[in-house]
Amino acid sequence: MAWYTEQGQRFFVFAKEATNETKKVVWPSRKETVQTTGAVFAFVVVMAVFLWLTDKSLEWVLYDLVLGWKKS
């Protein structure tokens, strides 16, 4: 039934064009994928350390210096 309706015809044209576009995609090689993944993991580790240091620094400034609450 979809073959004979206007909406069905438009869907099939769209599906064919989408398939043609996916054939044009240049997929990364395994080496590029591993390098990109490594860069992302390294960035996440660096940001985690940075945020942890920032958190501990602000905690020290606020609790010890400003409020005078010493941790036991």
Side-chain angles (χ1 to χ4, degrees), residues 13-61:
V13 168
F14 171 76
K16 186 176 180 182
E17 289 175 357
T19 303
N20 289 338
E21 287 298 318
T22 57
K23 291 178 183 176
K24 296 178 186 178
V25 173
V26 178
W27 297 101
S29 67
R30 180 174 178 85
K31 181 182 176 184
E32 291 172 332
T33 304
V34 169
Q35 287 176 341
T36 303
T37 304
V40 169
F41 281 147
F43 180 75
V44 167
V45 169
V46 168
M47 285 304 298
V49 170
F50 171 75
L51 291 173
W52 179 76
L53 287 172
T54 304
D55 180 53
K56 290 301 173 185
S57 298
L58 287 173
E59 178 184 345
W60 177 74
V61 167

